[in-house]
């Protein structure tokens, strides 16, 4: 059953915590608006050994997403570390289980956005965000990036793109979110919450 309060699903995969830090900042932006909640969910890792199964509940962090989490969301923020310029396999694996939602049109006219983290500045943030958008369009979602009214987009020397929030984690994954990255992720959550409430009223 859906919760009474509409929610934005923040669905992400994170191995070393950088994408998770962005997810939490987007969630803070969503929660800064009244009348809507943020629901953080992750996906299990995938293994080349098909028999390997993970515990139902992860050792730490957000719990694993169900199809119902996605079915009943009012908006979606999809987050992944960049892997060779694209999203990570565990998230793609989850998306590939969503055919029944696609057949039923469950996500049509809902707003969506994406976010990512990389180790190097020119290591593929934009390509990852753009390719993450493709399955969302197939689902009929309305993609919302970040507008340049967020002036940090002009000045950032790290993450933050018009395609969505991003983070430069550094080669040792030890670089925390900086001020511009935090601001832009928060703004992305706020915008998604606003659009989710507006589009929910229009559906
Ligand atoms: C298989 C693999 C491929 C990767 N590919 C890229 C890449 O194309 N560009 C890049 O800058 N970083 C790449 N990275 C580094 C991660 O994107 C980076 O460490 C990211 O911040 C990890 O996010 P997380 O802390 O949420 O797991 C790769 C890492 C792995 C394990």
């Amino acid at each position: 059953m859906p919760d009474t309060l509409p929610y934005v699903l923040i669905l992400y995969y994170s191995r070393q915590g950088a994408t998770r830090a962005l997810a939490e900042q987007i969630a803070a932006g969503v929660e800064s608006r009244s009348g809507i909640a943020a629901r953080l969910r992750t996906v299990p890792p995938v293994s080349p050994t098909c028999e390997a199964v993970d515990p139902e509940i992860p050792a730490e962090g957000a719990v694993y997403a169900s199809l119902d989490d996605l079915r009943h969301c009012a908006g979606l923020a999809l987050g992944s570390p960049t892997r060779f310029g694209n999203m990570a396999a565990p998230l793609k694996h989850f998306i590939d289980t969503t055919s029944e939602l696609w057949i039923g049109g469950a996500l049509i006219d809902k707003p969506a956005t994406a976010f990512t983290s990389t180790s190097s500045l020119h290591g593929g943030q934009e390509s990852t965000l753009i390719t993450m958008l493709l399955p969302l369009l197939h689902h009929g979602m309305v993609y919302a990036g970040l507008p340049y009214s967020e002036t940090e987009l002009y000045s950032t020397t790290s993450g933050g793109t018009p395609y969505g929030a991003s983070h430069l984690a550094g080669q040792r994954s030890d670089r925390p979110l900086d001020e511009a990255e935090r601001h832009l992720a928060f703004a992305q959550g706020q915008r998604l919450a606003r659009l989710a409430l507006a589009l929910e009223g229009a559906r």
Side-chain angles (χ1 to χ4, degrees), residues 14-20 81-85 117-120 123 169 173:
S14 183
R15 192 75 177 176
Q16 292 168 290
T19 310
R20 183 162 98 192
T82 288
R83 295 256 166 109
F84 303 120
S117 175
T118 57
S119 62
S120 56
S173 270

Side-chain angles (χ1 to χ4, degrees), residues 94-185:
F94 179 82
I95 290 170
D96 286 356
T97 68
T98 62
S99 301
E100 77 177 66
L101 303 191
W102 174 75
I103 290 166
L107 302 178
I108 290 174
D109 289 351
K110 294 182 178 180
T113 196
F115 56 101
T116 190
S117 175
T118 57
S119 62
S120 56
L121 186 54
H122 301 292
Q125 294 182 354
E126 284 95 338
S127 63
T128 300
L129 293 169
I130 290 168
T131 46
M132 289 173 79
L133 143 71
L134 300 182
L136 306 178
L137 292 180
H138 279 254
H139 272 289
M141 302 193 89
V142 181
Y143 192 79
L146 276 164
Y148 272 87
S149 50
E150 301 300 340
T151 52
E152 282 77 1
L153 283 179
Y154 289 105
S155 56
T156 178
T157 55
S158 54
T161 84
Y163 312 101
S166 60
H167 171 49
L168 172 64
Q171 270 200 297
R172 286 187 298 279
S173 270
D174 58 356
R175 195 180 164 278
L177 298 185
D178 67 24
E179 198 52 37
E181 291 172 336
R182 289 178 66 80
H183 173 86
L184 290 167

